[in-house]
PDB file of all heavy atoms in Angstrom:
ATOM      1  N   VAL A 203     121.869-207.806 215.375  1.00 96.00           N
ATOM      2  CA  VAL A 203     122.671-209.004 215.111  1.00 96.00           C
ATOM      3  C   VAL A 203     122.629-209.394 213.576  1.00 96.00           C
ATOM      4  O   VAL A 203     123.626-209.552 213.021  1.00 96.00           O
ATOM      5  CB  VAL A 203     122.122-210.254 215.954  1.00 96.00           C
ATOM      6  CG1 VAL A 203     122.895-211.469 215.525  1.00 96.00           C
ATOM      7  CG2 VAL A 203     122.251-209.957 217.400  1.00 96.00           C
ATOM      8  N   ASN A 204     121.485-209.211 212.981  1.00 97.00           N
ATOM      9  CA  ASN A 204     121.292-209.590 211.558  1.00 97.00           C
ATOM     10  C   ASN A 204     122.167-208.566 210.677  1.00 97.00           C
ATOM     11  O   ASN A 204     122.786-208.885 209.737  1.00 97.00           O
ATOM     12  CB  ASN A 204     119.892-209.549 211.180  1.00 97.00           C
ATOM     13  CG  ASN A 204     119.115-210.773 211.722  1.00 97.00           C
ATOM     14  OD1 ASN A 204     119.710-211.704 212.129  1.00 97.00           O
ATOM     15  ND2 ASN A 204     117.792-210.592 211.803  1.00 97.00           N
ATOM     16  N   GLY A 205     121.970-207.290 211.007  1.00 97.00           N
ATOM     17  CA  GLY A 205     122.656-206.247 210.272  1.00 97.00           C
ATOM     18  C   GLY A 205     124.200-206.301 210.414  1.00 97.00           C
ATOM     19  O   GLY A 205     124.890-206.212 209.435  1.00 97.00           O
ATOM     20  N   TYR A 206     124.657-206.488 211.688  1.00 97.00           N
ATOM     21  CA  TYR A 206     126.048-206.691 211.941  1.00 97.00           C
ATOM     22  C   TYR A 206     126.632-207.883 211.021  1.00 97.00           C
ATOM     23  O   TYR A 206     127.585-207.906 210.341  1.00 97.00           O
ATOM     24  CB  TYR A 206     126.323-206.951 213.298  1.00 97.00           C
ATOM     25  CG  TYR A 206     127.736-207.453 213.579  1.00 97.00           C
ATOM     26  CD1 TYR A 206     128.902-206.569 213.661  1.00 97.00           C
ATOM     27  CD2 TYR A 206     127.970-208.823 213.742  1.00 97.00           C
ATOM     28  CE1 TYR A 206     130.096-207.076 213.705  1.00 97.00           C
ATOM     29  CE2 TYR A 206     129.237-209.294 213.849  1.00 97.00           C
ATOM     30  CZ  TYR A 206     130.392-208.445 213.887  1.00 97.00           C
ATOM     31  OH  TYR A 206     131.644-208.909 213.980  1.00 97.00           O
ATOM     32  N   GLU A 207     125.936-209.039 211.141  1.00 97.00           N
ATOM     33  CA  GLU A 207     126.365-210.285 210.508  1.00 97.00           C
ATOM     34  C   GLU A 207     126.317-210.203 208.965  1.00 97.00           C
ATOM     35  O   GLU A 207     127.153-210.782 208.314  1.00 97.00           O
ATOM     36  CB  GLU A 207     125.541-211.570 211.007  1.00 97.00           C
ATOM     37  CG  GLU A 207     125.878-211.870 212.432  1.00 97.00           C
ATOM     38  CD  GLU A 207     124.956-212.970 213.008  1.00 97.00           C
ATOM     39  OE1 GLU A 207     123.995-213.431 212.298  1.00 97.00           O
ATOM     40  OE2 GLU A 207     125.251-213.456 214.073  1.00 97.00           O
ATOM     41  N   GLU A 208     125.357-209.442 208.447  1.00 97.00           N
ATOM     42  CA  GLU A 208     125.276-209.280 206.999  1.00 97.00           C
ATOM     43  C   GLU A 208     126.553-208.691 206.486  1.00 97.00           C
ATOM     44  O   GLU A 208     127.048-209.136 205.536  1.00 97.00           O
ATOM     45  CB  GLU A 208     124.108-208.439 206.664  1.00 97.00           C
ATOM     46  CG  GLU A 208     123.965-208.043 205.217  1.00 97.00           C
ATOM     47  CD  GLU A 208     123.756-209.264 204.271  1.00 97.00           C
ATOM     48  OE1 GLU A 208     123.178-210.278 204.670  1.00 97.00           O
ATOM     49  OE2 GLU A 208     124.257-209.311 203.103  1.00 97.00           O
ATOM     50  N   TYR A 209     127.123-207.656 207.087  1.00 97.00           N
ATOM     51  CA  TYR A 209     128.270-206.975 206.568  1.00 97.00           C
ATOM     52  C   TYR A 209     129.595-207.730 206.980  1.00 97.00           C
ATOM     53  O   TYR A 209     130.472-207.828 206.246  1.00 97.00           O
ATOM     54  CB  TYR A 209     128.309-205.539 206.986  1.00 97.00           C
ATOM     55  CG  TYR A 209     127.195-204.847 206.342  1.00 97.00           C
ATOM     56  CD1 TYR A 209     126.132-204.437 206.887  1.00 97.00           C
ATOM     57  CD2 TYR A 209     127.313-204.530 204.980  1.00 97.00           C
ATOM     58  CE1 TYR A 209     125.048-203.700 206.338  1.00 97.00           C
ATOM     59  CE2 TYR A 209     126.173-203.818 204.250  1.00 97.00           C
ATOM     60  CZ  TYR A 209     125.109-203.506 204.990  1.00 97.00           C
ATOM     61  OH  TYR A 209     124.101-202.843 204.341  1.00 97.00           O
ATOM     62  N   ALA A 210     129.537-208.175 208.208  1.00 98.00           N
ATOM     63  CA  ALA A 210     130.791-209.039 208.725  1.00 98.00           C
ATOM     64  C   ALA A 210     131.000-210.199 207.820  1.00 98.00           C
ATOM     65  O   ALA A 210     132.209-210.479 207.396  1.00 98.00           O
ATOM     66  CB  ALA A 210     130.571-209.508 210.095  1.00 98.00           C
ATOM     67  N   LYS A 211     129.974-210.868 207.316  1.00 97.00           N
ATOM     68  CA  LYS A 211     130.220-212.103 206.474  1.00 97.00           C
ATOM     69  C   LYS A 211     130.676-211.662 205.043  1.00 97.00           C
ATOM     70  O   LYS A 211     131.294-212.488 204.407  1.00 97.00           O
ATOM     71  CB  LYS A 211     129.014-212.965 206.448  1.00 97.00           C
ATOM     72  CG  LYS A 211     127.873-212.384 205.506  1.00 97.00           C
ATOM     73  CD  LYS A 211     126.687-213.211 205.478  1.00 97.00           C
ATOM     74  CE  LYS A 211     125.644-212.642 204.525  1.00 97.00           C
ATOM     75  NZ  LYS A 211     124.346-213.430 204.695  1.00 97.00           N
ATOM     76  N   ARG A 212     130.518-210.432 204.655  1.00 97.00           N
ATOM     77  CA  ARG A 212     131.015-210.095 203.337  1.00 97.00           C
ATOM     78  C   ARG A 212     132.505-209.788 203.350  1.00 97.00           C
ATOM     79  O   ARG A 212     133.061-209.705 202.246  1.00 97.00           O
ATOM     80  CB  ARG A 212     130.275-208.745 202.916  1.00 97.00           C
ATOM     81  CG  ARG A 212     128.804-209.008 202.688  1.00 97.00           C
ATOM     82  CD  ARG A 212     128.184-207.695 202.215  1.00 97.00           C
ATOM     83  NE  ARG A 212     126.709-207.796 202.107  1.00 97.00           N
ATOM     84  CZ  ARG A 212     126.011-206.803 201.548  1.00 97.00           C
ATOM     85  NH1 ARG A 212     126.573-205.767 201.119  1.00 97.00           N
ATOM     86  NH2 ARG A 212     124.690-206.967 201.518  1.00 97.00           N
ATOM     87  N   LEU A 213     133.082-209.466 204.563  1.00 97.00           N
ATOM     88  CA  LEU A 213     134.460-209.215 204.571  1.00 97.00           C
ATOM     89  C   LEU A 213     135.369-210.423 204.204  1.00 97.00           C
ATOM     90  O   LEU A 213     135.019-211.551 204.790  1.00 97.00           O
ATOM     91  CB  LEU A 213     134.834-208.622 205.907  1.00 97.00           C
ATOM     92  CG  LEU A 213     134.359-207.137 206.079  1.00 97.00           C
ATOM     93  CD1 LEU A 213     134.493-206.717 207.540  1.00 97.00           C
ATOM     94  CD2 LEU A 213     135.240-206.140 205.196  1.00 97.00           C
ATOM     95  N   PRO A 214     136.457-210.338 203.584  1.00 96.00           N
ATOM     96  CA  PRO A 214     137.307-211.518 203.282  1.00 96.00           C
ATOM     97  C   PRO A 214     137.994-211.880 204.486  1.00 96.00           C
ATOM     98  O   PRO A 214     138.185-211.188 205.435  1.00 96.00           O
ATOM     99  CB  PRO A 214     138.144-211.001 202.138  1.00 96.00           C
ATOM    100  CG  PRO A 214     138.319-209.516 202.452  1.00 96.00           C
ATOM    101  CD  PRO A 214     137.018-209.082 202.954  1.00 96.00           C
ATOM    102  N   ARG A 215     138.672-213.082 204.327  1.00 93.00           N
ATOM    103  CA  ARG A 215     139.414-213.721 205.348  1.00 93.00           C
ATOM    104  C   ARG A 215     140.601-212.840 205.834  1.00 93.00           C
ATOM    105  O   ARG A 215     140.932-212.750 206.977  1.00 93.00           O
ATOM    106  CB  ARG A 215     139.927-215.066 204.862  1.00 93.00           C
ATOM    107  CG  ARG A 215     140.814-215.828 205.949  1.00 93.00           C
ATOM    108  CD  ARG A 215     141.041-217.177 205.428  1.00 93.00           C
ATOM    109  NE  ARG A 215     140.119-218.035 206.164  1.00 93.00           N
ATOM    110  CZ  ARG A 215     139.696-219.226 205.598  1.00 93.00           C
ATOM    111  NH1 ARG A 215     140.220-219.691 204.537  1.00 93.00           N
ATOM    112  NH2 ARG A 215     138.838-219.899 206.278  1.00 93.00           N
ATOM    113  N   GLU A 216     141.171-212.115 204.895  1.00 92.00           N
ATOM    114  CA  GLU A 216     142.389-211.234 205.240  1.00 92.00           C
ATOM    115  C   GLU A 216     141.934-209.953 206.104  1.00 92.00           C
ATOM    116  O   GLU A 216     142.999-209.374 206.613  1.00 92.00           O
ATOM    117  CB  GLU A 216     143.167-210.854 204.014  1.00 92.00           C
ATOM    118  CG  GLU A 216     142.468-209.942 203.027  1.00 92.00           C
ATOM    119  CD  GLU A 216     141.793-210.653 201.873  1.00 92.00           C
ATOM    120  OE1 GLU A 216     141.609-211.892 201.970  1.00 92.00           O
ATOM    121  OE2 GLU A 216     141.474-209.964 200.926  1.00 92.00           O
TER     122      GLU A 216
END
Side-chain angles (χ1 to χ4, degrees):
V203 173
N204 292 339
Y206 166 81
E207 288 177 352
E208 175 62 33
Y209 293 104
K211 75 180 180 187
R212 294 182 186 190
L213 287 164
R215 181 172 262 156
E216 66 263 16

